[in-house]
Every structure is written in C-alpha cells, then in structure tokens.
Amino acid sequence: MSVSAFQAEWSALHQHTHPETARFTSQLVNEHAAALSDAFYEHMLKDNHAKQFLSHEQVKNRLRHSLRKWLCDLCAVDGSERSEAIYAHQVKIGEVHARIDLPVSLVLKGARVLKARYDRILEHTPQAEPKQRLNSMRLFSSLMDMAMEVMSQAYTTSSERKARSSEAYRLFSVTENLATEKEKQKAALLDWESKLMYEAVMGTGADRLPKIRESDFGLWFRHKGMHAFQGVAQTHIISDAMNGIDEVCLPLLAARAIHSEERGDVIREIRAHAKNIQYQMEDLFSKSLEVESGKDVLTRLLNRKFLPSVLGREIQFSRDQEKTFAVAAIDIDHFKNINDTHGHDVGDLIIQQVASLLNNQCRAGDFLFRMGGEEFLIVLVDIDRPRAVQFCERIRTSVAEQRFLLPNDRSLSVTVSVGLAVYNGHPDYNYLLREADQALYKAKEGGRNRVCTEQG
C-alpha cells in the first residue's frame, strides 16, 4: 500500500465514522492503554517463540511505553489529519521487525490479542450503548488492520532487501581471495593439530587441550565458512568431525586412567577427523562462484553493505550457542588535521596503513569493516567483555606505537579512539551499534587515544 492509497483509505474510514464513535474510542483506548499493553505482554511472553524477542529487560520497559503511545496515536481523534505521519511510523515499525527477524505471524497474533482485550473492555463499559460498542469495535479493528497491512508490507520489502544482501554476502564470502583463504585455513588446521599433539605428549589436562572450535580455523569455519558454504553437505560433515574431536576425543585423551594403547587409538582417531576435515575443505573450496564485490575500494576491507547480514547472523549464533560477541567502533584521531596539513593523498595512506594494522590484529573469525572516512568497525566473535577490552587496548597501543610511512622518507604518528559495546541480548543490532557509537563519543570527549565501553 502506497502512502497515497493509505491516506485515501484512512481518510475515508474517518469520514464514515461518526465523530462521537471516534471520540469514544479514543477516550476508551487512552484510559485503558496500560491494560491493553499489559495484556499484550502477558500473553506474548507465554509464547516461547515470542519470548526471545520480548524478554530483554530494556525491550520490555521501552516497548510497554511505546505500545501504549502507539495505541493512543492510532486511535486519536485527529488521526485523519496525521495520516502521513501515522503511515511513516508503521513503516518504521515494520522495518524494525524485519531487522530483528520478528515473524509476521507474531505481530498478527499480537494484534489479535489487542482486539480481544479491547472487546472485553467494551463489554465492561456499561455506560455505552450496544450500538456504540459495536461501532467502536469496528473502528478499533479497522485501524489495527490498516496498521498491520502497512507494517507487513514494510516488513516484506525490508526482508527481501535483507535477503538479497545476505545472499550477496554469502557468495562474496565464498570467493573472497579464494586461493589465499584456502591455504590460510589449511595452515590454521595443521597448526591446531600440531599444538594438540604437543600438549597430548606433555600430558596436558582436558581444560588446557586446544579445542578445534576455538582455534583460528574453528572460528573461521563457524562464523564465516559455514555461512559462505551454506547448504553444502560438506559443512555438516566438518561440523560433526569438529564436535567429535572436542566432545568425545579430547575428554578421552585427558582421562587419567587411559592406557598408552588407548591413548594411541584416540590420537589416531583425532588425526583421522583432521584429515577428513582437510579433505572436505578441499572439496568446499572447489565450489567457487563469481559475485559482485563488497569491498571498500581504498582499503579492500568489507564495506558497510554487509554489516546487517553479519550482525544478524552473530545475534542468531549468540542465541543458539549462548555466546557473546562485541563490536568496536574505531576512529582515527584528528584526521581532519592530517588532511588539512598533509593533503588527502597522505590521509588515504594513513587509512590504508591503519586498515592493514587492524586486519593483522583481528582473529580468523572476526569481521573488519571500513564504515567510511576514517572510521572502522570490528565485529569480535566468541568473546567476553574482559577479553574484548583487552583486544581494543592492544589495538589502541599498536596504532599509537606505529610510525606510519609517508612519501619522501617521512613518517607520522597517529592515534585512535575506540568505542566498545558487548552484545547483551537485545534483538536489534542497531541498539548495539548505537551503544558502540556512544562509547566512541565518550572516548573522543575524554581526550582521545583511549578505549571506552558502553558501561562507562
């Protein structure tokens, strides 16, 4: 439904509604907005599917107020005069629902709950005539239905755009420096195997044996490889082999009562798993495809085009695996002065060298983006707050200690400010990005060349 079509239908609905019915409905909704909101959340939080989107404390506190205001605005007497603003608000809500992957079925269920509750409120309003209650229920239902239609349309449009971006990123992931990535992951797998064999010979305890899923190869495979080769049978074979190593073989290897002969059998089984993983990886990398580039031209880093896809997947991964991740917003300090003093060509050189330094600091499963200008963003996977802070401090120190090379044998020192935010369960990734931006602002206001978190 276009905005003009919505305005026409919205206007017609109000024109054909008796003013007294409109006033009565608006007044009743305002009086019972809290009860409607409470009924909505009480019902929806009993749904296990809905609970994962609504149970976050900040979501509950904020949305209760937002839902009450939404109901009052939707049923306001002057609604016909604000049809364009009302339409825009429903579009925005639909886009948020798409961003957090909230199913349309849950939204429609919520609307049904609100209608049923309003019907009960009307039944307990004895001062209203039966015809007035009927007309009010019809008006309330029509307003809800039109809002749902606009939300659903916005949801569909946004979801289709998101799906195209996600598929483009999946294909891009497959082909990005394919030959280099293949050799890099082969080396990472062999490095993990060598470390494990050494620790096994030394009799290291189970808690210190290197797990394959926490190795550089494991991080890459779980956060990038599985998505890049989504739907390919070999990914499931590799995942099963990794689980077999971490969940079965390593605990056996660390058991104190294990005999030398049994230890040898377990080691041979681990090596067989590793060989199978390597074989399946060879097959996976042969399935290359050509796609449009998603790289920043200057730095060859990911551009922000694929950020929604990456953050959406990491939120889902965190829900499924009960892991946390973080985002670090990084900004080169006093960059305008660099451009003004040394020129834009030097500014570009600084951006390229900072990008290279950041890339070298990132782990195999992390995602590094150039957000534009002198700002970068890192998605740090499988990490808790202390380790994320430590990582950001290491980046800040590395940049501050580096001499960046300029033409004519010159060099320049620069610093960066970092804003860190750790995922806390909120379903909308924009919330996490805003927290990282606010932390970055605090770092800038606090004197630059420092790391600040969303907690202070």
Side-chain angles (χ1 to χ4, degrees):
M1 181 186 291
S2 66
V3 61
S4 57
F6 176 83
Q7 286 178 305
E9 287 193 35
W10 193 260
S11 177
L13 174 62
H14 283 80
Q15 285 175 6
H16 289 91
T17 299
H18 194 282
E20 181 56 35
T21 300
R23 281 193 293 272
F24 172 77
T25 303
S26 178
Q27 181 180 346
L28 198 61
V29 168
N30 273 271
E31 288 176 1
H32 296 276
L36 286 163
S37 177
D38 290 344
F40 172 87
Y41 282 105
E42 181 182 352
H43 188 90
M44 297 299 279
L45 286 173
K46 292 177 182 176
D47 186 304
N48 289 329
H49 196 186
K51 193 181 296 182
Q52 64 175 310
F53 299 98
L54 300 174
S55 59
H56 188 276
E57 198 60 36
Q58 287 175 309
V59 173
K60 285 193 291 185
N61 292 338
R62 184 177 177 183
L63 285 189
R64 282 182 188 275
H65 171 75
S66 297
L67 181 57
R68 291 196 293 269
K69 186 176 186 304
W70 177 77
L71 286 166
C72 294
D73 287 347
L74 198 67
C75 300
V77 175
D78 65 343
S80 60
E81 301 170 9
R82 298 181 297 105
S83 58
E84 187 173 353
I86 290 171
Y87 178 88
H89 190 47
Q90 311 319 305
V91 169
K92 182 179 179 181
I93 294 171
E95 290 174 345
V96 171
H97 291 166
R99 195 160 61 235
I100 67 175
D101 285 326
L102 181 69
V104 174
S105 59
L106 287 180
V107 179
L108 297 178
K109 182 178 182 179
R112 182 161 51 84
V113 169
L114 289 170
K115 289 180 187 179
R117 181 62 177 177
Y118 186 70
D119 190 37
R120 287 199 294 275
I121 290 171
L122 285 169
E123 289 177 3
H124 293 85
T125 309
Q127 68 271 26
E129 295 292 329
K131 186 176 180 180
Q132 188 180 39
R133 291 202 295 268
L134 177 62
N135 289 337
S136 180
M137 189 68 228
R138 285 175 175 171
L139 175 60
F140 185 82
S141 296
S142 295
L143 294 172
M144 292 286 291
D145 289 345
M146 288 189 69
M148 291 302 108
E149 185 176 345
V150 176
M151 280 187 209
S152 299
Q153 179 178 291
Y155 179 97
T156 301
T157 302
S158 187
S159 292
E160 288 174 351
R161 191 185 310 121
K162 180 180 174 183
R164 287 194 296 270
S165 176
S166 182
E167 179 63 9
Y169 176 70
R170 187 188 72 79
L171 297 176
F172 169 73
S173 299
V174 176
T175 58
E176 183 193 15
N177 296 323
L178 195 64
T180 303
E181 193 63 53
K182 175 183 175 181
E183 294 306 315
K184 184 178 177 181
Q185 296 312 319
K186 187 189 296 184
L189 181 60
L190 291 172
D191 182 57
W192 163 80
E193 189 177 356
S194 297
K195 287 178 180 176
L196 177 63
M197 293 303 117
Y198 173 79
E199 297 295 346
V201 169
M202 298 299 292
T204 302
D207 58 330
R208 293 181 56 195
L209 287 175
K211 293 183 177 181
I212 188 169
R213 63 170 170 255
E214 295 174 0
S215 67
D216 274 352
F217 169 79
L219 288 173
W220 174 85
F221 179 76
R222 291 188 299 130
H223 292 274
K224 294 182 178 179
M226 285 192 73
H227 182 68
F229 299 104
Q230 184 179 352
V232 181
Q234 286 86 343
T235 58
H236 299 294
I237 297 172
I238 293 172
S239 184
D240 288 344
M242 289 171 64
N243 286 335
I245 291 170
D246 285 350
E247 306 300 330
V248 179
C249 295
L250 294 190
L252 284 175
L253 196 60
R256 292 177 180 238
I258 191 170
H259 300 300
S260 59
E261 185 176 336
E262 293 173 313
R263 177 180 289 271
D265 289 341
V266 175
I267 288 175
R268 280 189 288 273
E269 186 175 352
I270 291 174
R271 301 198 73 167
H273 278 310
K275 189 173 182 180
N276 186 28
I277 291 172
Q278 187 171 332
Y279 173 79
Q280 301 299 334
M281 289 297 297
E282 290 279 350
D283 199 22
L284 278 179
F285 275 106
S286 69
K287 303 178 185 300
S288 59
L289 298 166
E290 293 184 0
V291 297
E292 59 179 307
S293 175
K295 284 187 175 181
D296 172 63
V297 175
L298 181 64
T299 62
R300 307 305 296 161
L301 301 179
L302 288 171
N303 61 36
R304 64 191 309 152
K305 169 184 177 180
F306 295 135
L307 184 59
S309 297
V310 170
L311 288 176
R313 287 191 302 104
E314 289 305 317
I315 286 176
Q316 189 60 52
F317 185 88
S318 293
R319 284 181 189 154
D320 295 343
Q321 303 296 323
E322 297 183 352
K323 299 278 188 179
T324 57
F325 71 97
V327 295
I330 302 166
D331 194 84
I332 301 174
D333 295 328
H334 302 296
F335 188 74
K336 185 177 184 301
N337 291 343
I338 295 174
N339 276 337
D340 292 345
T341 304
H342 302 280
H344 289 277
D345 288 344
V346 167
D348 286 349
L349 282 174
I350 296 298
I351 288 174
Q352 287 175 322
Q353 291 178 65
V354 169
S356 178
L357 188 152
L358 295 177
N359 200 32
N360 289 336
Q361 293 284 341
C362 287
R363 301 165 301 162
D366 297 332
F367 298 86
L368 174 58
F369 296 82
R370 183 186 178 202
M371 300 299 285
E374 68 275 21
E375 188 173 346
F376 303 87
L377 186 134
I378 305 176
V379 179
L380 299 165
V381 302
D382 275 18
I383 201 166
D384 56 20
R385 182 177 300 279
R387 289 192 298 138
V389 171
Q390 187 179 46
F391 177 93
C392 291
E393 284 290 355
R394 187 165 66 246
I395 280 178
R396 184 195 63 78
T397 303
S398 297
V399 173
E401 293 176 349
Q402 180 75 26
R403 295 293 297 181
F404 294 93
L405 302 178
L406 307 182
N408 302 320
D409 295 326
R410 294 177 299 156
S411 64
L412 187 66
S413 293
V414 301
T415 60
V416 294
S417 297
V418 184
L420 176 68
V422 179
Y423 176 66
N424 64 1
H426 197 290
D428 188 353
Y429 59 77
N430 268 0
Y431 178 85
L432 187 64
L433 292 176
R434 283 196 297 271
E435 285 198 320
D437 281 340
Q438 290 166 5
L440 177 61
Y441 178 78
K442 284 192 292 185
K444 291 286 190 184
E445 288 295 298
R448 297 180 170 84
N449 189 26
R450 65 189 60 213
V451 175
C452 286
T453 73
E454 82 282 16
Q455 292 189 342

